[in-house]
Amino acid sequence: MFEFGIKDIIDIFLVAMMLYYIYRLMKESRSLNVFIGIIVFVLVWLFVSQVLEMRLLGAIMDKLVSVGVIGLIVLFQEEIRRFLYSLGAHQRFKAVARFFMGSKSKADTVDKETIMPIVMACMDMSRGKVGALIVIERGIRLDDIVDTGDIIDARINQRLIENIFFKNSPLHDGAMVITGKRIRAAGCILPVSHNHDIPKELGLRHRAALGISQDSDCIAVVVSEETGGISVAIKGQFQLRLSAEKLENILSKEMNF
């Protein structure tokens, strides 16, 4: 006789949570139909092999499943990477990691002398409606992004930031990457988000900012060339129409995460 206990309830709950989280990732990456197709195939496979006990058809589907796992890893490598990143970026897991690795040293903390040049440059560019995209690296390194641009390796400076994004500058169309207290590179190419929920009035810079914030734990600051509005993208979420004070507060909090 089949026994249904607390362990089975927990098992069902965990599977449901996992499927829901995968569903959300697939929906964001426009792979929802593929995910639904996989679920239907798995249900048919279980029904054929476990309920109807069709040996021949069940054996064929068993082989397809065993080979298909490798294909799924190749097909959904980006979604798998994002899932693992999201898992590692969860605040509770971060707290555990910091407990074993030690807290952040004072040398790693970011002070106002680092933040204010970014804020002041963004405000000046906002007033002049100069488009800009600044990516601030945090826990996950952005070496692959840096490699797409030109190495700067200079101290963070308001005038330098504004000159790089000046409309006639050869680097103004790309993204600037800041690591720690230095401008690491400029003119970098970012992955573009395909999220359909992005407001239509937001342009390519905003889509690129959202894309890199979904792929890593960075902070992406955008100055709109059309409106002069300042936005920040963190963890796939936008904060729009920011004042200087609000931008400073966000950077002070997030750059010392």
Side-chain angles (χ1 to χ4, degrees), residues 17 20 33 51 84 102 109 113 117 125 136 143 163 170 175 211 219-220:
M17 288 291 293
Y20 172 71
N33 289 337
V51 179
L84 294 175
T109 59
E113 291 182 1
M125 291 187 291
I136 302 170
D143 294 342
N163 284 337
I219 308 165

Side-chain angles (χ1 to χ4, degrees), residues 95-127:
V96 174
R98 286 177 181 173
F99 175 79
F100 287 104
M101 293 187 295
S103 59
K104 209 171 189 180
S105 64
K106 291 183 179 179
D108 293 333
T109 59
V110 179
D111 52 27
K112 285 199 173 186
E113 291 182 1
T114 302
I115 294 172
M116 289 313 297
I118 301 173
V119 175
M120 297 306 296
C122 287
M123 295 310 298
D124 281 353
M125 291 187 291
S126 174
R127 284 189 287 268

Side-chain angles (χ1 to χ4, degrees), residues 110 114-119 121-122 125 133-142 145-146 152-158 160-161 164-165 175-186 188 190 217-221 251 255:
V110 179
T114 302
I115 294 172
M116 289 313 297
I118 301 173
V119 175
C122 287
M125 291 187 291
L133 176 50
I134 301 172
V135 177
I136 302 170
E137 182 183 279
R138 297 202 290 175
I140 297 177
R141 293 187 62 83
L142 301 174
I145 300 298
V146 170
I152 303 295
D153 192 24
R155 183 175 58 86
I156 296 176
N157 180 279
Q158 176 185 346
L160 177 57
I161 294 174
I164 287 174
F165 288 112
M176 174 185 292
V177 177
I178 291 178
T179 302
K181 299 183 179 182
R182 299 187 71 79
I183 299 173
R184 191 174 172 195
C188 301
L190 304 183
D217 63 345
C218 72
I219 308 165
V221 183
L251 295 183
M255 288 176 72

Side-chain angles (χ1 to χ4, degrees), residues 207-253:
R207 287 192 171 274
L210 191 66
I212 192 64
S213 74
Q214 290 172 333
D215 288 351
S216 74
D217 63 345
C218 72
I219 308 165
V221 183
V222 185
V223 180
S224 172
E225 191 171 353
E226 288 75 26
T227 66
I230 299 174
S231 309
V232 170
I234 303 174
K235 298 179 182 177
Q237 298 293 327
F238 266 126
Q239 298 186 53
L240 304 173
R241 294 179 289 277
L242 301 176
S243 63
E245 182 180 2
K246 184 64 176 175
L247 178 61
E248 180 186 350
N249 290 339
I250 293 172
L251 295 183
S252 297
K253 176 184 175 183

Side-chain angles (χ1 to χ4, degrees), residues 188-205:
C188 301
I189 300 172
L190 304 183
V192 178
S193 173
H194 298 288
N195 192 332
H196 294 291
D197 296 330
I198 300 177
K200 293 182 179 179
E201 63 269 17
L202 301 183
L204 188 59
R205 280 193 180 91

